[in-house]
């Protein structure tokens, strides 16, 4: 059985509300990273990749917290690659604030070295936005098979190229996001998982 997920309720005009909250233009693309801040998450590749896209319009939302020393390292990294002026560091988020970030962004990026699953990726898909991940994220196969995201090598130039493709194809992102939400609702909601588990126990009872 897959890992289950609570499907959040839809926030009306989430895109508009998030851009108003961040005080950015209503049509500004938003790239979301939402995870624990840790070296394995691949920010040492994602941030330099974003730094290569100075000619593109976008805002980068960095959600999550971690060891204070690593947070300082990330802060310096953002400045080094000139991404700090378009980055919004919102720290640890939950509830309505988290849902607004997920539903109001254009796509989710997690360029990890390794993820044994990647619940945040599943949450992003459930919110209706596609994900850009590296092969080390266990859900990479799902994204490829269902065409609900992008899988890119853990390489700065490759990540930059893929992000630029996303920024150039916002309509494609919307299509993938809509498809992603339907797939997650149909296959990963706790209701679906609970029914499957119930059926398994019924089969065991009959067999015994």
């Amino acid at each position: 059985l897959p890992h289950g997920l609570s499907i959040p309720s839809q926030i009306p005009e989430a895109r508009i509300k998030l851009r108003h909250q961040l005080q950015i233009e209503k049509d500004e693309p938003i790239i979301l990273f939402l995870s624990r801040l840790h070296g394995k998450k691949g920010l040492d590749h994602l941030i330099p990749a974003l730094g290569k896209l100075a000619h593109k319009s976008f805002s980068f939302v960095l959600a999550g917290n971690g060891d204070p020393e690593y947070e300082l390292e990330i802060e310096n990294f953002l400045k080094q690659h000139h991404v700090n002026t378009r980055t919004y560091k919102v720290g640890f988020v939950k509830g309505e604030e988290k849902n607004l970030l997920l539903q109001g962004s254009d796509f989710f990026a997690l360029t990890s070295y390794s993820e044994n699953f990647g619940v945040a990726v599943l949450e992003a898909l459930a919110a209706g936005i596609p994900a850009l991940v590296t092969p080390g994220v266990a859900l990479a196969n799902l994204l490829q098979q269902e065409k609900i995201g992008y899988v890119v090598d853990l390489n700065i130039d490759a990540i930059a190229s893929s992000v630029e493709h996303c920024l150039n194809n916002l309509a494609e992102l919307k299509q993938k996001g809509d498809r992603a939400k339907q797939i997650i609702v149909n296959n990963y909601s706790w209701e679906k998982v609970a029914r499957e588990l119930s059926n398994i126990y019924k089969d065991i009872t009959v067999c015994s």
Side-chain angles (χ1 to χ4, degrees):
L1 292 175
H3 190 292
L5 189 75
S6 296
I7 308 300
S9 58
Q10 194 70 28
I11 300 175
E13 300 183 331
R15 290 177 56 83
I16 295 174
K17 289 179 179 177
L18 179 56
R19 282 154 183 77
H20 177 73
Q21 179 176 301
L22 299 178
Q23 297 184 349
I24 59 177
E25 295 294 327
K26 62 180 181 179
D27 58 349
E28 175 98 329
I30 295 177
I31 303 167
L32 173 65
F33 171 94
L34 191 157
S35 188
R36 179 170 58 100
L37 298 186
H38 186 277
K40 71 176 251 181
K41 302 295 181 177
L43 285 169
D44 58 334
H45 283 69
L46 179 59
I47 292 173
L50 297 180
K52 288 179 171 289
L53 301 175
H55 58 289
K56 302 297 296 183
S57 173
F58 69 87
S59 288
F60 178 48
V61 174
L62 187 64
N65 57 15
D67 182 85
E69 290 186 5
Y70 185 69
E71 289 191 19
L72 180 59
E73 184 178 332
I74 291 302
E75 179 69 31
N76 292 332
F77 220 43
L78 290 167
K79 292 177 181 177
Q80 177 186 344
H81 294 281
H82 310 290
V83 187
N84 57 308
T85 56
R86 57 172 72 192
T87 298
Y88 297 82
K89 301 186 295 298
V90 297
F92 176 80
V93 292
K94 62 181 180 178
E96 190 80 357
E97 184 180 7
K98 179 180 179 180
N99 288 336
L100 180 60
L101 289 176
L102 289 166
Q103 295 180 31
S105 298
D106 287 278
F107 68 96
F108 179 86
L110 185 64
T111 55
S112 293
Y113 287 83
S114 174
E115 293 285 342
N116 59 8
F117 186 71
V119 174
V121 176
L122 208 61
E123 291 176 328
L125 300 174
I129 63 172
L132 185 155
V133 305
T134 41
V137 178
L139 285 169
N141 288 338
L142 174 69
L143 268 62
Q144 288 181 317
Q145 291 169 5
E146 300 293 349
K147 297 181 172 59
I148 52 177
Y150 308 86
V151 180
V152 60
D153 289 339
L154 187 60
N155 171 280
I156 292 172
D157 289 335
I159 294 170
S161 178
S162 189
V163 170
E164 185 167 19
H165 172 84
C166 291
L167 296 174
N168 289 338
N169 295 276
L170 297 181
E172 178 180 289
L173 295 183
K174 178 66 166 58
Q175 292 174 352
K176 286 182 180 290
D178 291 343
R179 175 174 168 76
K181 184 174 182 179
Q182 197 59 51
I183 288 172
I184 300 307
V185 169
N186 291 343
N187 297 282
Y188 290 87
S189 68
W190 279 122
E191 291 81 2
K192 167 71 173 178
V193 174
R195 284 196 300 271
E196 294 283 349
L197 183 60
S198 176
N199 290 336
I200 290 173
Y201 276 109
K202 286 177 182 176
D203 290 342
I204 292 172
T205 302
V206 171
C207 291
S208 62

